[in-house]
Amino acid sequence: MRIPLGSPLQLLLLVCSFALAGYAGVRLLAGDRFGVALWFVGAAVLHDLVLLPLYAAADRALVKTAGRHVLYVRVPAAFSLLLLLVWFPLISGQVADRYARATDLSPDGFLARWLLVTAVLFGGSAVVFVVRRRRATKERPPAVH
């Protein structure tokens, strides 16, 4: 039996990604090992056992109720919520002082930028919806009366 290895470029990228992940893990665990382990376990348990079934059920109910056009809302909403989750401490201003000390950059503007990105995501989704809707009506044969 032959093991599929992929191209040399794929193997190089895989090795580099493992090396980067290993380096990040060593750097991450150099500080508060218990806190990091607790965060990973808590995040896995909270996400996989609690949140995933909840938002999967909510998504199924939304698609069943609203139809396929809900995709034009849920995709930008998902990206916007993901960005909010990742950048929440800076968007909310909770770690503004620590961020300014660590980076010598101003922590101002994260909320405005997140709102701008969210507006662009929803606006782009609306444009795609309108364009596809127009194409669908143009491709439809005229009704015979």
Side-chain angles (χ1 to χ4, degrees):
M1 183 173 150
R2 185 171 176 244
I3 299 173
L5 294 175
S7 72
L9 179 61
Q10 288 175 327
L11 290 174
L12 177 65
L13 290 174
L14 184 65
V15 167
C16 289
S17 67
F18 279 131
L20 181 63
Y23 172 75
V26 167
R27 292 289 307 242
L28 185 65
L29 292 174
D32 180 17
R33 289 178 186 220
F34 178 73
V36 170
L38 182 65
W39 184 84
F40 272 110
V41 170
V45 169
L46 179 67
H47 179 266
D48 293 350
L49 296 179
V50 178
L51 294 177
L52 182 66
L54 285 177
Y55 63 70
D59 184 60
R60 264 187 252 119
L62 186 63
V63 169
K64 193 175 193 179
T65 304
R68 63 184 175 93
H69 297 302
V70 75
L71 287 173
Y72 296 100
V73 174
R74 80 175 174 181
V75 170
F79 282 120
S80 178
L81 287 172
L82 179 64
L83 289 172
L84 178 64
L85 179 67
V86 170
W87 295 103
F88 182 76
L90 287 166
I91 290 171
S92 66
Q94 291 177 350
V95 294
D97 295 336
R98 190 167 31 156
Y99 177 78
R101 282 193 310 270
T103 63
D104 287 333
L105 298 173
S106 172
D108 299 333
F110 279 92
L111 175 62
R113 281 182 247 153
W114 174 73
L115 289 172
L116 179 65
V117 168
T118 298
V120 168
L121 286 170
F122 277 97
S125 184
V127 167
V128 169
F129 175 73
V130 168
V131 167
R132 287 185 178 172
R133 190 73 174 218
R134 283 190 180 165
R135 279 189 191 156
T137 56
K138 285 181 183 179
E139 291 173 0
R140 224 182 282 152
V144 179
H145 297 288

